[in-house]
Amino acid sequence: MPLLKFQPSYKTEFLDDNQFGFTPQKSTTDAAMAVIQITEPELERGRVVFMASLDVKKPFDPAWRPAILKGLRDAKCPLNLYQLTQDYFRERRAVISINSSKMEKNITTGCPQVACCWPGFWNIQYNSLLNLKYPNHMKAVAFTDYLVIMITGNFIREAENIANIEFSKISAWAKKTNKIRFNGQKSKVMLMRRRKNLKYRIGK
């Protein structure tokens, strides 16, 4: 099986700049600095910031292959590579052998984690989340399957109302379009302002 490489996705700037995972010359430090550069000026202006960190449940395993293929079409992937990816996803099977017993199951979701192409597949699918139409006072930063959302407002109620609307949009992206679930136990929301820091836990 030929190796699939997606470096042209970076060269054509198809992937969002706020994805810091599996991208050349970027790291968790860069992602953290991006968050600081977004939030610090807002706090200096006396505004409040809702910052939510969302964690995908069982990352990479639930990757929705139709969404990956759509991402490739949107990126204007060359036809030969697109068809090769389609073939790569077909007829994949997991086999477990224990003593004399053997079990096989068809695999229809997930990024093949033993292959060098799975980081590219994941970023292509996750890219559509970063490209949702967010309002100007909201920013999203991702590192692989982790997502940090920052929502600013002049006061808490304003930011809270915006957050509820945008979280509904993200939830629809995850459940209806990409078959992904966020882990409520690992996902957090923090309210930041100059004088107080309050933490909340968001549900599933």
Side-chain angles (χ1 to χ4, degrees), residues 66-125:
I68 295 173
L69 293 173
K70 181 183 183 303
L72 289 173
R73 293 193 299 271
D74 292 342
K76 296 180 172 54
C77 177
L79 182 60
N80 62 327
L81 287 179
Y82 180 81
Q83 292 175 337
L84 180 60
T85 304
Q86 282 184 310
D87 291 339
Y88 189 72
F89 285 156
R90 289 193 183 107
E91 299 180 3
R92 300 194 71 89
R93 300 174 66 82
V95 180
I96 299 177
S97 297
I98 301 176
N99 297 328
S100 60
S101 300
K102 183 178 180 180
M103 181 182 298
E104 296 186 18
K105 182 179 180 180
N106 290 328
I107 304 299
T108 58
T109 61
C111 295
Q113 295 190 33
V114 296
C116 65
C117 57
W118 72 265
F121 286 149
W122 178 262
N123 275 2
I124 285 171
Q125 177 178 359

Side-chain angles (χ1 to χ4, degrees), residues 43-56:
L43 296 174
E44 289 287 347
R45 297 187 187 102
R47 291 163 62 83
V48 299
V49 179
F50 268 113
M51 186 170 71
S53 61
L54 304 180
D55 176 76
V56 173

Side-chain angles (χ1 to χ4, degrees), residues 131-195:
N131 286 333
L132 292 177
K133 293 182 179 180
Y134 298 120
N136 292 334
H137 30 257
M138 175 174 168
K139 301 293 182 182
V141 172
F143 188 86
T144 63
D145 61 308
Y146 296 96
L147 184 72
V148 174
I149 299 293
M150 290 150 289
I151 299 170
T152 63
N154 291 315
F155 46 88
I156 294 176
R157 180 65 67 183
E158 178 187 16
E160 187 179 50
N161 290 337
I162 297 170
N164 289 333
I165 295 172
E166 298 309 313
F167 285 157
S168 296
K169 184 189 302 182
I170 293 171
S171 178
W173 174 91
K175 294 179 180 179
K176 297 179 180 180
T177 309
N178 290 271
K179 314 298 182 184
I180 285 174
R181 289 191 299 169
F182 290 106
N183 190 333
Q185 293 182 340
K186 292 184 178 180
S187 299
K188 309 290 181 182
V189 174
M190 176 184 292
L191 171 62
M192 296 188 296
R193 53 186 177 180
R194 277 305 180 198
R195 293 186 179 180

Side-chain angles (χ1 to χ4, degrees), residues 31-66:
M33 290 302 298
V35 171
I36 293 172
Q37 289 171 2
I38 293 169
T39 57
E40 188 66 23
E42 299 297 329
L43 296 174
E44 289 287 347
R45 297 187 187 102
R47 291 163 62 83
V48 299
V49 179
F50 268 113
M51 186 170 71
S53 61
L54 304 180
D55 176 76
V56 173
K57 193 171 185 178
K58 296 181 179 179
F60 313 118
D61 290 341
W64 186 236
R65 293 176 181 177

